[in-house]
Amino acid sequence: MTIAGHATSLRIEPLFWRALVREAERLNLPTNALVARIDAERLAQAPSPNLASAIRQWLFSRAMTLTQDQ
């Protein structure tokens, strides 16, 4: 995957990968663009979690927000 012009390997469980792809589709973004957005948010944190953890946290937070909105 290319994020911000750099090749990046990403290893997350299939469940999280499917959720990430689904969320990117819902937001009408390419998957790598959504990962880049999550990565930028991750780098703004101190200390920064690794990218896979940041994606899992983002997806969980997103799911909680969507659940509360229903």
Side-chain angles (χ1 to χ4, degrees), residues 10-11 15 28 35 39 53 55 63-64 68:
L10 177 60
R11 186 171 250 209
L15 171 74
N28 200 28
V35 171
D39 190 40
S53 293
I55 290 170
M64 294 300 292
Q68 290 173 355

Side-chain angles (χ1 to χ4, degrees), residues 19-37:
L20 178 67
V21 169
R22 193 171 340 148
E23 198 56 28
E25 289 170 352
R26 201 176 76 68
L27 295 171
N28 200 28
L29 291 170
T31 304
N32 65 325
L34 179 55
V35 171
R37 180 186 292 180

